Amino acid sequence: MRHKIIMTILAFTFILQSWGQTSNTITGVALDADGRKPLASVTVSLLSGGSATSTSTNQVGEFSLRVSEQSGRIRASLVGYGDEEVAFQQGQPVTILMRAAQSELDQVVVVGYGTVKKRDLTGSVVSVKGDEIAKVPSANIIESVQGKVPGVDITRSNGSASAGVNIAVRGNRSITAQNGPLFIVDGVQYSNIQDINPNDIQSMEILKDASSTAIYGSRGANGVIIITTKRGATGKARIDFNAYAGLNQVDRYPSVMDLNQWVRLRREAYRATGRWNSEADDNIVFNDAELAAIRNNEYIDYFDLLVKNGSQQNYQVSVSGGNENTTVYFSGDYLRETGIFERDATDRFGARLNIDQKLGSYFKAGMQANVTRYEIEQRRDPLNQANKINPLGRLRDDDGNLILYPLNGSAISPLADLEPNAYAAQTNRTRVLTNAYVELTGLKGFTARSNIGITLSNSRDGVYAGSYTIDRNGGFSQATYDADNSYLINWENVLTYQKELGDHNFTLSGVNSFLLNRSDNINASGQDLLLDGQLFYALGNARRNLATNTNYVMNNLLSFAGRLNYSFKGKYLLTATGRWDGSSILAKGHQWAFFPSIAAAWRIVDEDFMKEQQLFSELKLRATYGKAGNSAVNPYDTQNSLTRVAFAYDDVAATGYTFSPQIGNPFLGWEITATSNLALDFGFLGNRLNGSIDVYDSRTTDLLLNRGLPPTTGVTSVIQNVGKTRNRGIEVALNAEVWKNTAFGWNTAISFTSNREEIMELVTADDDIGNGWFIGHPTQVFYDYEKLGIWQLGQEEEAARYGQKPGDIRVRDMNGDGQIDATNDRRVLGNPRPNWLAGWDNNFTYKGFDLNIYVFVRWGQMLNPDFLRRYDPQGLGQSTAAIDYWTPENPSNDYPRPNSGMSLGSMLFSSSLGYVDGSFARIRNISLGYTFQGDRLKSKYLRSLRIYGTARNPFTWTRSSLLNEYDPERGGSENFPMTKLFVFGVNVGF
C-alpha cells in the first residue's frame, strides 16, 4: 500500500511538472530495481543528438533534463549500480529502475573441483574473463594474457605459423624435469591449450600457490590453469559471429652487410695478414667470379627474396540457447595463419558442443566435446643459410633457372628448398576432447558428480628433402614418415557436502581421480628415393638406409583427495587439503606420496572496528603453506633398456645390443615442492581502486635430476632424486576505475612480478660446470669469460703477457695470475630470467567507442643472441651489419680485427662476444573499436555489432642499442623471426 501511495504521489508530481515545463525539458525519477526506493545523485545523460547534456537526481530521485529532440535515449549511472538506458518522449515522464551491480567480491571464481566467491578465496588465484582474452587476436589463448597475470612468465617460442608458447608459473623449479603448468578444460586435463578458440572461453583461472593447487596434487606442482568454456542459457537463442583478418610482418630482424660493407670486411681480413694494401691487390683477395660480381654490382639480398608478409584470419560462429531443462552451446571456427616464408602455413578447423540436461528433480547430466583438426605446412628457416652464404653472384642463369651453387661455391642457395618437389614438410593432426558427467544435486547441502573425459589424438608428420636442398646439400635425398596415436582417459568422482550452523559454514569435498595415458607411434625413414614427386609417400622405393621403428608408452595416475573449507562469521576462513597420488612412472615402493596444504584468511574489513571507517572497502590477509609433487619424467626411466649397435662376426653383419647411455633407477621417487605464501587483498573508494600483494617462497627438494656419470661406468647418465632449488618473489596486482561517467570511462590494471630463482644444492656441494648448473644461480645461466673489450694500440706490452696483440679480444684475468684459462677465469655473467616483468592494461570508453592499450615490460635478463655472434672474420660468408670490428683506424671495443687466416671459432675467447642486456618494453596491443547497440542498430535482427582494428606488437623499445633490430622476446635465437600483426575484425550478435 505504501508503495502505491509513493508511486501515485510521484506520478501526480510529474503530471503537474509537465504542465509547466517547456517543450525541450523531460522529467523523471530514478528508483531501485524494485521500484520502491528513490535514488539520489544518479547521473542522467542524453545519448542521442545535440551536445552532451547531463543532470543528477535530487534526494527523492527526481530529475529534469533539457533536450532539443522530441524523442531519444538517456543513460543513468550511479556507483554500485549498473548503467541503464531508457527511451524518452517529450511530455511523458520517465521512470528509471536501477539494478545493483554485482560486487567484484561476489564474483564466482573457479577453483579445483568447485567454485567459491572471490571474497572467500584463501589461495592465490587470478581470474581472467573471456572478453579480456579475446581482446588480443592470437592463435594461442595463453599468449593473449602475457604480462596480465602476476607470477606468470609467458613468451612466444618463435614467429612461425605453428609456433608454441613458453609458460612458467612462479619460476622454474626442476632442472631436467618438466616445468609447465597443468591445464584443465571443463574439468578434464588437456595439454594442447592452443586448440581452444578464445571466443569459446567464459573464464580462465590461474592457480599459483600450494593451497589452490594442492587439490590437484602432483599434477599441480607447476601451477594450474583452469579453462571454463561457455554454456548455453535459457531463453531466446543467441547467435554470435566473430571474425578478423590481417597481416603479419617481420618485427626487428638484424640486417646483414651490404655489398660495400662485405667487400670492406674481406679486404680488411687480408690486410691484417699483410696480403692486401690497396684495390690493386683485389685479385689476391677475390677470385675472378667474385671480382666480376663486384664490378657488375651483383649482390643478392636474400632477406628480401625469402621474407614476405604473412597473414592471419579467424572466423567463429556460436549458437546458444535452451529452456529450463536443456541448454546447448555450439560453435565452429576456422583459423588460417601463413608465416613470413613461403610454405609456412597452418589451417585449424575446430568445433565445440556443450550440452546440459536436467533429469528430474535430483539429477542433471551433460557433455562437452571439442574437435580440432590441423593441417600444417612447415619448412626449415632458410635465413640461417642466407645469413652465412657469400652474397655475391647472380640468382638465376640466362634461362631463368635457379643457380643452386652461386659463384660455383660449396654453399647451396638459400632458395633451393623452393624448387618444385625439392622440399616438403607436412603435418596432419586431429584431436578430440570429450567428456560427460552426471551430477546429483537435489539433496540439501549434498552434491555428487562423476565425470569421465577422453582425449583422442592422432597425427602424421612427413618430411622430404631432395638432394639439392639446404639440409641435403648434394647428398642423397631423404624422407621420414611419423605416425602417432594416443589417448588419455580422465575419470573423476567428486562428493561435496555443505552445512551452515549459525556462524559456522562448512564445505567438505572428496575426490577420486584416475588417469590412463597410452600412445604408440611408428617412424620410417629412407634415403635415395626413386622419384622426387613421390615425396615421403613411397618409402618402399628408398634405395638406402631404409629403417622402421615403433614405440609404445603407457602410464597412469591414481589419486584420492579431501578438502575442508570453513568459515566463521564470513570473516575467518580456513582451507585444509590433502591428496594422495600414486604414479606408475616412479619406482615400486616410491610411487605413492601425500601432499597436504593449509590456508587461512582474515577479512579484516568485516570486523566491527572497521565499520565506521570510510577508507577501505576490502582488506583481507591470507597465508598458505603446502606441498606438491612432480613426477614429470619419461616413463620407464626407472628401468634399464637396451639399444641396438652395429656388430659383426668375421666381417658378417650380426645383431648386437648394449645398455642405453641412460641407466635406469629402481629407487626413483617424487620431486617435492613446499610453498609458503603471505598476501594482502585491499580495496579503496568502493573498490574503485583494488588489488593484492603476494609474497611467496617455494623450495623444491629431491630434484628429478639427470645426473652425469663417469664414462668408466659404461653409461653416461641416470635420473636421481638429488639437489634442491628455490623460487621466491613478490607479485602485485592493481586495478583502478580511474574515471567513469555516462560518456567517458577509463579503467587501468597493473601487474608486477619479481622472482628470484636459484639452485640451492646439487649432487655434491660444488657447481656442475659441465652441465652449466651453479649453486646460488638460476637453473640456466651464461658462464663464460668476461669481455673487457679489444686490445688497443699502445697496449702491446700488456697484451703480449697474455699472448695477444692489438685487435684481439681482451677478457678479465679473474684471479690475477697473468694467464687466462677456462678453469680459473670464467664466471657466471648473467642469466635469461628477468629481474621483473610487468604489464599495464588500459581500457578507455567514450559513448560507443572503446580503446585498449596494453604495455608489457620484461626487465633485467641477459641474452646471447645468435646475430651478435654472426661474424665471419675471414670475410668468406656474411656477417651482421651491426658488428663494429676493430681496425687500426677504428679502435672499436666490440669485435676483434678480421683475419683471413682465422675463423671466429679459432679466435681466443670468441665465446665472450654477444652478451647483452635483453631488457625491453613493448606496446603489446592497441585496439580501437566501435559498438552499435539497441536502437542505434535500427535492426530487429541484430542484437549487437562491434567493428574494431587491432595492432599486436606494433612498437618495441630495448634498453641496449645493439638490439634495435632484434626482438628480445625470442631469447637469442634467429630462427623464424618474430612478427607484428595488424588486423580488422567484427563481432556480431543476432
Side-chain angles (χ1 to χ4, degrees):
M1 185 68 182
R2 179 184 175 189
H3 167 59
K4 292 182 178 179
I5 293 174
I6 292 175
M7 294 299 295
T8 302
I9 293 173
L10 289 172
F12 182 73
T13 302
F14 295 151
I15 293 172
L16 292 177
Q17 289 179 342
S18 66
W19 289 346
Q21 72 181 14
T22 61
S23 61
N24 62 347
T25 301
I26 60 172
T27 59
V29 63
L31 306 172
D32 66 2
D34 296 327
R36 299 177 180 178
K37 178 183 176 182
L39 298 176
S41 302
V42 176
T43 300
V44 182
S45 301
L46 179 66
L47 284 180
S48 55
S51 58
T53 305
S54 64
T55 187
S56 298
T57 60
N58 59 23
Q59 292 300 312
V60 292
E62 300 168 353
F63 70 90
S64 176
L65 184 67
R66 289 185 175 274
V67 297
S68 58
E69 300 86 351
Q70 290 297 316
S71 63
R73 297 186 67 82
I74 56 176
R75 176 186 291 162
S77 61
L78 178 66
V79 174
Y81 291 81
D83 291 353
E84 301 291 342
E85 292 186 20
V86 296
F88 70 85
Q89 291 284 340
Q90 280 283 2
Q92 297 181 9
V94 178
T95 300
I96 305 173
L97 300 180
M98 303 290 292
R99 287 180 286 268
Q102 183 189 36
S103 168
E104 183 182 354
L105 298 177
D106 291 328
Q107 292 178 2
V108 175
V109 176
V110 179
V111 294
Y113 305 102
T115 60
V116 298
K117 288 184 177 181
K118 187 174 181 180
R119 64 180 293 116
D120 296 329
L121 276 175
T122 56
S124 182
V125 180
V126 176
S127 180
V128 183
K129 299 305 177 187
D131 293 343
E132 288 293 313
I133 296 170
K135 278 181 183 177
V136 182
S138 176
N140 193 311
I141 59 176
I142 296 300
E143 195 176 1
S144 300
V145 297
Q146 182 188 50
K148 294 185 177 182
V149 182
V152 182
D153 188 11
I154 300 169
T155 57
R156 183 162 178 162
S157 57
N158 60 62
S160 72
S162 56
V165 173
N166 305 312
I167 178 170
V169 179
R170 291 187 168 180
N172 295 276
R173 282 155 286 278
S174 295
I175 296 180
T176 54
Q178 299 175 22
N179 280 290
L182 168 70
F183 290 97
I184 301 292
V185 178
D186 291 329
V188 177
Q189 179 175 325
Y190 193 64
S191 58
N192 303 104
I193 203 67
Q194 68 272 18
D195 294 353
I196 310 299
N197 187 285
N199 293 296
D200 286 338
I201 295 178
Q202 183 68 34
S203 69
M204 175 193 294
E205 274 75 25
I206 297 93
L207 285 55
K208 298 181 291 185
D209 70 326
S211 171
S212 58
T213 64
I215 195 69
Y216 290 103
S218 63
R219 295 188 293 158
N222 298 315
V224 180
I225 297 178
I226 301 176
I227 306 292
T228 303
T229 60
K230 294 178 180 178
R231 324 292 295 181
T234 57
K236 199 172 183 180
R238 295 164 60 101
I239 301 175
D240 291 280
F241 174 73
N242 305 285
Y244 68 80
L247 295 176
N248 276 320
Q249 294 180 341
V250 171
D251 183 31
R252 305 166 65 92
Y253 190 79
S255 57
V256 295
M257 291 183 174
D258 60 25
L259 177 59
N260 292 330
Q261 291 172 320
W262 186 85
V263 169
R264 190 181 308 120
L265 174 61
R266 174 78 76 89
R267 287 169 174 167
E268 185 59 42
Y270 279 77
R271 177 192 172 199
T273 57
R275 301 170 63 190
W276 185 91
N277 293 297
S278 68
E279 293 184 15
D281 298 324
D282 278 354
N283 61 331
I284 301 174
V285 176
F286 306 100
N287 61 36
D288 291 341
E290 290 172 332
L291 285 172
I294 294 171
R295 285 195 301 269
N296 297 325
N297 200 32
E298 292 176 351
Y299 171 85
I300 304 175
D301 189 336
Y302 287 107
F303 183 88
D304 284 349
L305 294 170
L306 291 166
V307 175
K308 62 181 182 65
N309 287 335
S311 66
Q312 189 175 117
Q313 51 186 310
N314 182 245
Y315 308 94
Q316 188 253 10
V317 62
S318 66
V319 181
S320 64
N323 54 39
E324 61 181 9
N325 292 318
T326 307
T327 59
V328 178
Y329 176 87
F330 170 79
S331 74
D333 71 90
Y334 169 66
L335 170 75
R336 177 169 176 81
E337 184 174 4
T338 62
I340 58 169
F341 302 125
E342 288 187 38
R343 303 181 189 174
D344 178 24
T346 295
D347 290 278
R348 185 187 73 192
F349 307 85
R352 168 168 288 277
L353 177 63
N354 292 349
I355 300 176
D356 297 281
Q357 173 71 47
K358 286 185 179 180
L359 303 173
S361 302
Y362 294 98
F363 290 93
K364 68 176 182 178
M367 60 86 67
Q368 298 87 40
N370 190 84
V371 181
T372 310
R373 167 74 173 182
Y374 289 91
E375 295 181 358
I376 303 172
E377 186 176 13
Q378 298 171 302
R379 64 172 300 185
R380 54 121 57 225
D381 184 344
L383 291 178
N384 183 54
Q385 177 77 355
N387 291 335
K388 297 176 181 177
I389 193 172
N390 185 319
L392 300 182
R394 299 168 58 196
L395 185 67
R396 298 186 179 275
D397 61 22
D398 294 336
D399 296 325
N401 299 314
L402 179 70
I403 299 175
L404 289 172
Y405 291 92
L407 298 178
N408 294 319
S410 59
I412 197 167
S413 171
L415 279 73
D417 289 358
L418 296 177
E419 291 296 282
N421 294 325
Y423 184 89
Q426 300 172 5
T427 296
N428 294 330
R429 184 173 294 122
T430 303
R431 279 191 291 266
V432 179
L433 168 63
T434 181
N435 68 310
Y437 74 90
V438 60
E439 185 172 357
L440 171 65
T441 59
L443 302 179
K444 185 177 181 181
F446 178 80
T447 61
R449 180 183 177 109
S450 183
N451 187 86
I452 184 166
I454 302 175
T455 302
L456 303 174
S457 177
N458 67 77
S459 64
R460 187 270 290 157
D461 295 274
V463 179
Y464 174 77
S467 296
Y468 295 102
T469 55
I470 297 175
D471 284 338
R472 305 308 297 162
N473 193 21
F476 293 114
S477 60
Q478 178 171 295
T480 60
Y481 189 99
D482 287 274
D484 180 90
N485 290 281
S486 65
Y487 66 86
L488 170 67
I489 298 176
N490 187 181
W491 183 29
E492 295 185 318
N493 301 284
V494 184
L495 302 177
T496 304
Y497 179 71
Q498 185 174 6
K499 183 69 174 177
E500 187 173 348
L501 299 172
D503 293 331
H504 306 273
N505 191 297
F506 301 86
T507 301
L508 291 170
S509 300
V511 179
N512 166 237
S513 176
F514 174 70
L515 274 82
L516 174 63
N517 193 359
R518 291 189 180 181
S519 67
D520 63 80
N521 74 288
I522 182 171
N523 169 269
S525 63
Q527 293 182 342
D528 197 11
L529 280 297
L530 181 63
L531 298 172
D532 288 341
Q534 292 179 333
L535 302 179
F536 45 80
Y537 293 109
L539 274 171
N541 295 333
R543 290 171 286 200
R544 294 175 180 271
N545 300 325
L546 184 62
T548 303
N549 294 288
T550 59
N551 191 34
Y552 172 83
V553 174
M554 186 275 287
N555 63 277
N556 53 57
L557 180 74
L558 180 63
S559 306
F560 302 92
R563 179 173 62 199
L564 166 66
N565 292 94
Y566 169 72
S567 170
F568 178 64
K569 293 186 175 181
K571 55 187 176 183
Y572 306 111
L573 310 171
L574 178 70
T575 302
T577 306
R579 177 156 173 150
W580 293 262
D581 277 339
S583 173
S584 67
I585 293 178
L586 302 176
K588 291 183 179 180
H590 303 268
Q591 294 173 325
W592 285 91
F594 176 63
F595 305 108
S597 79
I598 189 166
W602 175 27
R603 290 190 51 78
I604 304 172
V605 72
D606 291 339
E607 294 288 356
D608 292 339
F609 62 80
M610 295 289 289
K611 290 184 177 180
E612 299 300 323
Q613 59 85 33
Q614 302 296 320
L615 178 62
F616 291 99
S617 51
E618 168 66 351
L619 191 63
K620 180 171 70 173
L621 184 66
R622 295 182 280 114
T624 68
Y625 177 81
K627 291 184 177 182
N630 189 358
S631 61
V633 293
N634 295 324
Y636 316 122
D637 278 340
T638 61
Q639 303 176 13
N640 297 322
S641 60
L642 298 177
T643 184
R644 187 173 178 176
V645 295
F647 193 69
Y649 284 108
D650 294 330
D651 296 328
V652 177
T655 300
Y657 296 90
T658 187
F659 285 111
S660 296
Q662 178 177 301
I663 195 171
N665 180 0
F667 305 103
L668 194 64
W670 290 92
E671 180 178 284
I672 305 295
T673 298
T675 303
S676 56
N677 193 100
L678 184 64
L680 182 70
D681 300 330
F682 54 85
F684 304 94
L685 306 175
N687 263 16
R688 286 190 65 174
L689 173 63
N690 62 83
S692 63
I693 300 174
D694 284 72
V695 179
Y696 61 88
D697 190 346
S698 298
R699 299 174 185 245
T700 302
T701 58
D702 296 328
L703 293 178
L704 292 167
L705 192 66
N706 193 2
R707 176 187 176 185
L709 297 175
T712 53
T713 61
V715 289
T716 60
S717 65
V718 62
I719 295 181
Q720 286 185 308
N721 293 110
V722 290
K724 300 176 182 178
T725 60
R726 183 182 185 186
N727 281 270
R728 46 186 163 158
I730 183 171
E731 301 166 355
V732 180
L734 294 174
N735 300 277
E737 190 176 69
V738 181
W739 190 272
K740 182 180 180 181
N741 60 30
T742 54
F744 178 75
W746 175 19
N747 289 276
T748 189
I750 296 174
S751 68
F752 173 87
T753 302
S754 179
N755 179 76
R756 182 182 177 185
E757 172 190 320
E758 58 182 319
I759 298 172
M760 304 297 293
E761 183 180 297
L762 291 167
V763 179
T764 66
D766 298 325
D767 299 329
D768 187 337
I769 297 177
N771 284 306
W773 302 330
F774 298 87
I775 295 174
H777 294 278
T779 57
Q780 184 180 352
V781 298
F782 296 114
Y783 178 73
D784 212 330
Y785 302 101
E786 181 185 354
K787 176 175 164 287
L788 298 178
I790 304 298
W791 289 107
Q792 302 294 328
L793 295 174
Q795 297 178 327
E796 289 86 351
E797 185 176 344
E798 185 179 359
R801 291 170 50 198
Y802 296 96
Q804 295 181 277
K805 61 184 183 301
D808 291 344
I809 301 171
R810 181 183 182 184
V811 298
R812 186 181 299 279
D813 183 358
M814 298 297 298
N815 61 356
D817 63 355
Q819 58 184 0
I820 306 295
D821 62 82
T823 302
N824 299 300
D825 295 301
R826 290 186 297 169
R827 71 176 185 87
V828 175
L829 302 175
N831 65 81
R833 313 287 189 237
N835 292 336
W836 57 270
L837 52 92
W840 183 26
D841 195 21
N842 292 276
N843 290 288
F844 303 90
T845 57
Y846 178 71
K847 296 187 177 180
F849 291 95
D850 61 89
L851 173 66
N852 174 258
I853 301 176
Y854 176 51
V855 180
F856 173 62
V857 181
R858 204 166 189 265
W859 206 260
Q861 74 268 26
M862 176 178 279
L863 301 181
N864 189 20
D866 291 345
F867 82 96
L868 290 179
R869 301 192 306 277
R870 190 172 7 103
Y871 171 48
D872 183 358
Q874 295 175 291
L876 300 175
Q878 261 290 17
S879 297
T880 304
I883 286 176
D884 183 18
Y885 53 83
W886 187 95
T887 69
E889 297 78 22
N890 180 46
S892 168
N893 267 304
D894 295 336
Y895 287 84
R897 186 177 190 179
N899 191 312
S900 63
M902 299 182 67
S903 65
L904 184 64
S906 63
M907 284 187 167
L908 283 176
F909 318 125
S910 61
S911 63
S912 66
L913 298 172
Y915 295 107
V916 64
D917 186 336
S919 303
F920 71 94
R922 76 174 352 142
I923 295 181
R924 178 76 172 114
N925 186 73
I926 300 177
S927 183
L928 176 63
Y930 184 79
T931 302
F932 301 85
Q933 285 185 332
D935 291 346
R936 281 174 283 179
L937 286 172
K938 297 183 179 180
S939 171
K940 63 180 180 180
Y941 301 107
L942 294 183
R943 185 180 78 252
S944 62
L945 171 63
R946 178 176 180 263
I947 56 175
Y948 66 92
T950 295
R952 190 182 75 188
N953 298 338
F955 305 107
T956 301
W957 178 84
T958 56
R959 187 177 187 181
S960 172
S961 60
L962 291 174
L963 300 179
N964 285 343
E965 290 188 323
Y966 180 75
D967 189 329
E969 186 177 342
R970 286 289 282 111
S973 175
E974 285 186 284
N975 287 336
F976 291 98
M978 299 291 280
T979 60
K980 50 188 176 182
L981 175 68
F982 302 92
V983 304
F984 291 93
V986 60
N987 309 124
V988 186
F990 299 92

